[in-house]
Amino acid sequence: MQISHNAVVLVADGRKSLFLRNEGDATHPNLVVERAVEQINPSDGEQKTDHAGRSSSSVGGGQNSMQEVDFHQQEKDRFAVDTADMLKRRALANDFASLIVVAPPQTLGELRKHYHSEVSARLSGELDKDLTSHPIDQIEKALQAA
């Protein structure tokens, strides 16, 4: 994948995002960190979720089964919505002409749901991989190989 000069590369997962800018050219990218955002997810570590249970009704005597709420996934989805909103604000401010998004499939799918038309118009590529914990040179290589 070609990364044009001055393109923004977003590398994100459900709780971390890196905004990189290519200060190199398409054949020799030089990604530089512009901004890093990390959300502390309360459901990481100690589980703080509601458990599925049954509730009894005094009317009719039936029991209702409730699905377990995945708060961890909700936080990841909310983070993706916030990230898409940040992309929208930057696109509307004409902060970038070209955008490449790198994210795991589920996060990428959630981001796509919330792309503003200005973000979509500037989107030059997507890569469905989780590279948030990788060093910049490996991100550059993964993008060039895609």
Side-chain angles (χ1 to χ4, degrees), residues 17-94:
S17 62
L18 285 172
F19 286 89
L20 309 168
R21 175 109 29 195
N22 185 17
E23 293 188 354
D25 58 28
T27 54
H28 298 95
N30 179 24
L31 299 179
V32 176
V33 176
E34 284 188 332
R35 183 175 185 188
V37 179
E38 184 169 356
Q39 172 181 324
I40 304 302
N41 195 329
S43 62
D44 287 345
E46 183 181 326
Q47 289 289 351
K48 295 182 180 177
T49 59
D50 287 345
H51 297 285
R54 297 189 178 271
S55 62
S56 296
S57 173
S58 61
V59 178
Q63 293 184 341
N64 296 323
S65 178
M66 298 183 298
Q67 284 188 336
E68 185 171 337
V69 176
D70 187 348
F71 291 112
H72 184 71
Q73 189 58 50
Q74 282 182 348
E75 287 301 316
K76 284 183 173 185
D77 292 348
R78 191 170 299 124
F79 189 77
V81 169
D82 292 345
T83 302
D85 187 57
M86 187 180 307
L87 287 172
K88 176 184 90 172
R89 288 192 311 266
R90 290 184 68 175
L92 292 172
N94 229 8

Side-chain angles (χ1 to χ4, degrees), residues 8-19:
V8 167
V9 177
L10 167 65
V11 181
D13 63 14
R15 33 173 250 143
K16 290 188 270 185
S17 62
L18 285 172
F19 286 89

Side-chain angles (χ1 to χ4, degrees), residues 1-10 20-32 34 95-101 121-125 140 143-144:
M1 179 181 311
Q2 295 281 319
I3 311 167
S4 62
H5 173 72
N6 213 28
V8 167
V9 177
L10 167 65
L20 309 168
R21 175 109 29 195
N22 185 17
E23 293 188 354
D25 58 28
T27 54
H28 298 95
N30 179 24
L31 299 179
V32 176
E34 284 188 332
D95 187 38
F96 59 87
S98 177
L99 172 69
I100 296 172
V101 177
R122 297 160 195 257
L123 191 62
S124 60
E140 289 171 350
L143 285 168
Q144 287 180 307

